[in-house]
Amino acid sequence: MEHQPLTHPQSVAPIRATRGISPTRRAWLFLSPSMLFLGVLIAASLLVLRMSVGTKGAEWSGFSLASYGQLLEPYYLKSLLLTLRLALISAVIAVLLAIPVAYTMSRLASPLLRRVFLAAVLLPLLVNLLLQSYGWLVILGPAGMLNQALMGLGLIKRPIMLLYNQNGVLMGLVQTAFPLAVLPIASAMRGVARSYEEAAATLGASRFQVFRQVVLPMSLPGIITGATLVFAYNASSFVVPLLLGGRRVPMLAVMVHDQIAPLMNWPAASAAGVVLIVTTLMIMTLSEYFTGRRRRMLEASQ
């Protein structure tokens, strides 16, 4: 005779597999803060674009292209060309100064020294731009440190004017944007394998030839990126040209400020801002095209 079990087995409900977040949704969640920030920037740009086709006193209801026509006058064209020229020259100088610093950073073996170099390079970004400009006023003034040093060495007999001209503005632009040139170049040079340099040295190339014919060509995408960042940063610079150049160096950002502050001419200021944004984006797009093309050539050669 079989005995029935005192306890009956309970039916176990099947466990449903928890569905995790899909990779696509996880990526969108990860990008949502930056996308929100970009959305705010795009909305602000569209508002500026709308005001640029308005009229003074009726920025949101009026419609006129007079503000863009005003930019064709010689004064505004000169201001635009001056802005592009100073931004381009400062980008070239900053890149030339950044290349040896970036190469040194990329070849340092000690992590401590790399951190020290990185902190020194990033220092201008940690100091307020206004304070840096006032520092240049102290250095470049008629009774400033530079003139006193030159007269003490007997190189000049009277102070030279370094403020309120393009030379002073150029020095300030190069100094403030210098870290933007160093970081991408150092990253690109760090990606150049040592084996290429060793192979070139084995074939009889000197250190300078290795640097000029191997490291520089393979780091060209980073160099172009650094120059583009400096150009875009300095093309929209306002504090440096205002303090070091005054009204004698009328860069476009200073002209935008003058249209808003004393004149309250929002359409003219918005039109100048739109032209500056479009010009900068065109140059950055062209630079990105050449950078991508060069990167593809390097990948194909490897």
Side-chain angles (χ1 to χ4, degrees):
M1 180 177 181
E2 296 181 0
H3 297 281
Q4 297 292 332
L6 298 178
T7 57
H8 299 282
Q10 297 180 355
S11 59
V12 180
I15 301 176
R16 295 183 179 179
T18 57
R19 296 178 59 186
I21 302 176
S22 63
T24 303
R25 185 176 299 178
R26 189 182 299 114
W28 279 109
L29 290 176
F30 182 74
L31 292 175
S32 57
S34 58
M35 297 295 290
L36 180 62
F37 180 70
L38 288 177
V40 173
L41 292 181
I42 293 174
S45 302
L46 292 177
L47 292 177
V48 172
L49 180 61
R50 175 62 187 90
M51 282 196 298
S52 68
V53 295
T55 57
K56 187 177 180 180
E59 288 82 4
W60 306 110
S61 58
F63 181 83
S64 175
L65 297 177
S67 298
Y68 288 97
Q70 185 180 3
L71 294 177
L72 297 177
E73 296 179 2
Y75 173 76
Y76 296 103
L77 286 178
K78 182 180 178 181
S79 177
L80 177 60
L81 294 178
L82 175 65
T83 300
L84 298 178
R85 184 165 64 86
L86 288 180
L88 180 60
I89 295 175
S90 64
V92 173
I93 296 176
V95 166
L96 291 178
L97 295 176
I99 286 176
V101 177
Y103 182 72
T104 304
M105 289 179 58
S106 65
R107 292 300 181 262
L108 286 175
S110 172
L112 179 60
L113 288 179
R114 281 202 301 266
R115 293 190 185 97
V116 171
F117 260 79
L118 183 61
V121 169
L122 293 178
L123 187 60
L125 298 179
L126 303 178
V127 181
N128 186 275
L129 192 58
L130 189 62
L131 296 179
Q132 296 183 54
S133 300
Y134 278 121
W136 279 110
L137 291 176
V138 175
I139 295 173
L140 301 178
M145 298 169 56
L146 183 58
N147 275 311
Q148 293 295 328
L150 293 177
M151 287 190 295
L153 294 174
L155 299 178
I156 57 175
K157 294 182 178 180
R158 58 181 181 179
I160 56 178
M161 194 63 182
L162 296 174
L163 287 178
Y164 309 119
N165 53 36
Q166 296 183 20
N167 295 327
V169 173
L170 194 58
M171 291 182 188
L173 293 177
V174 171
Q175 183 266 324
T176 54
F178 180 72
L180 301 179
V182 174
L183 296 180
I185 297 176
S187 177
M189 289 183 174
R190 196 176 296 116
V192 178
R194 291 292 185 92
S195 58
Y196 293 106
E197 300 181 45
E198 294 172 356
T202 303
L203 294 175
S206 62
R207 289 188 177 182
F208 179 73
Q209 289 176 329
V210 171
F211 177 75
R212 182 172 60 89
Q213 300 180 4
V214 177
V215 178
L216 278 184
M218 299 188 70
S219 304
L220 192 58
I223 295 174
I224 297 176
T225 301
T228 304
L229 290 176
V230 174
F231 176 86
Y233 183 80
N234 287 338
S236 59
S237 180
F238 164 70
V239 176
V240 172
L242 181 64
L243 294 180
L244 302 185
R247 296 299 185 273
R248 298 183 181 180
V249 186
M251 293 183 68
L252 202 57
V254 178
M255 193 267 297
V256 171
H257 171 267
D258 293 339
Q259 289 290 339
I260 294 176
L263 302 177
M264 297 301 292
N265 192 351
W266 290 93
S270 301
V274 169
V275 170
L276 182 59
I277 292 173
V278 171
T279 305
T280 305
L281 286 178
M282 289 174 59
I283 295 177
M284 292 182 67
T285 302
L286 187 63
S287 171
E288 184 63 25
Y289 168 76
F290 284 111
T291 303
R293 184 176 178 181
R294 180 63 182 178
R295 187 178 292 110
R296 288 191 296 270
M297 291 174 60
L298 290 175
E299 292 175 354
S301 62
Q302 295 176 3

